Amino acid sequence: MIKGVIFDLDGVILSTDEYHFLAWKQLADKLDIPFDREKNNLLRGVSRMESLEIVLDGREFSAEQKAAFAAEKNETYRALLSKMTPSDVSNDVKNTISTLRSRGIKVAIGSSSKNTKFILERVGMINDFDAIADGNDIKRSKPDPEVFLVAARRIGLAPSECIVVEDALAGIDAAVAGGFFPVAIGDAVKHPGAMARIEEVSDIIALFEKA
Ligand code: B16
Ligand code: MG
């Protein structure tokens, strides 16, 4: 029986995936490296340094240069995040979380991002989840299931009792690897391993009603 929902952050709860794209694009343009939305999809759910390797696409730089590029991207990204306010949270997301919690379903965040808490503070959602697991809690980012396993442990549930909602192919891989019930939204709907595909976050309510 499903007793919990673990949400990915970027691209599921918030449209911060667009800010990741804009920040990587700015760096790629500066380095004269082609970068488009299709390539950006490969970065979904993947850690910052692994994302940088995908952006650099085999071009060689020293470890110091790479660290500086990642820091520069993060600075651009955080400048965009710092303009976020509670109005950036959709009513669909707000209503879904409150409906789930009112029904006794545990809700958690499972995000690869080290900026998770900063973002949730900005948009006034830091107290809206029973647990938060993020890039600061883990050694391996998606497609490894570590972040979802940490989230499940923090809400006291087994993976088989949790839905994972993901927009990343790597995130669905992680959910499958961890033994969760993977629900795909956005770019992840093309993943054959998704057990359900939704158009908006509130569609998960219907999954409970069907169960
Ligand atoms: P940061 P999610 C992921 O967040 C993003 O999808 C991915 O594009 C990003 O590289 C990663 O977080 C790390 O983010 O640079 O902020 O630590 O989708 O797992 O919520
Ligand atoms: Mg995501």
Side-chain angles (χ1 to χ4, degrees):
M1 192 182 138
I2 299 295
K3 297 179 183 166
V5 180
I6 303 173
F7 292 97
D8 170 57
L9 180 68
D10 300 317
V12 173
I13 293 292
L14 293 162
S15 300
T16 41
D17 52 334
E18 181 64 15
Y19 295 159
H20 277 296
F21 169 70
L22 293 173
W24 282 123
K25 178 81 180 134
Q26 187 170 311
L27 179 71
D29 285 353
K30 186 176 134 179
L31 299 174
D32 210 13
I33 298 173
F35 185 75
D36 58 16
R37 287 182 184 274
E38 203 181 322
K39 198 157 174 201
N40 183 62
N41 283 337
L42 302 175
L43 313 183
R44 291 180 187 274
V46 176
S47 73
R48 196 179 308 161
M49 291 312 286
E50 288 166 308
S51 296
L52 176 65
E53 293 298 341
I54 296 169
V55 171
L56 296 180
D57 202 13
R59 288 164 182 81
E60 287 190 16
F61 292 95
S62 68
E64 291 72 25
Q65 282 173 308
K66 286 182 185 176
F69 292 154
E72 185 180 329
K73 180 267 171 176
N74 195 46
E75 218 173 286
T76 310
Y77 180 54
R78 282 179 69 104
L80 293 165
L81 295 178
S82 67
K83 295 190 190 115
M84 292 185 86
T85 69
S87 68
D88 287 298
V89 187
S90 70
N91 286 334
D92 186 72
V93 163
K94 277 188 235 170
N95 294 339
T96 304
I97 291 169
S98 59
T99 302
L100 291 171
R101 293 191 85 179
S102 72
R103 294 183 186 182
I105 306 291
K106 298 274 186 202
V107 294
I109 287 284
S111 169
S112 299
S113 176
K114 292 185 173 168
N115 289 301
T116 295
K117 288 191 177 152
F118 175 68
I119 296 168
L120 292 175
E121 293 272 11
R122 290 287 328 154
V123 300
M125 292 186 87
I126 195 76
N127 296 316
D128 289 356
F129 298 91
D130 296 295
I132 296 168
D134 68 23
N136 299 296
D137 295 310
I138 55 170
K139 290 198 175 62
R140 299 170 302 277
S141 77
K142 302 163 190 174
D144 190 285
E146 188 178 4
V147 79
F148 296 139
L149 294 171
V150 173
R153 195 168 62 236
R154 288 184 179 167
I155 52 175
L157 296 176
S160 58
E161 295 175 310
C162 301
I163 283 175
V164 163
V165 187
E166 259 293 347
D167 70 317
L169 296 176
I172 298 292
D173 282 338
V176 171
F180 295 87
F181 184 94
V183 174
I185 190 167
D187 190 57
V189 299
K190 61 194 182 202
H191 196 304
M195 286 176 149
R197 291 169 183 79
I198 58 173
E199 276 179 27
E200 49 186 5
V201 167
S202 57
D203 294 338
I204 59 171
I205 305 288
L207 297 179
F208 282 93
E209 280 153 13
K210 270 190 226 154

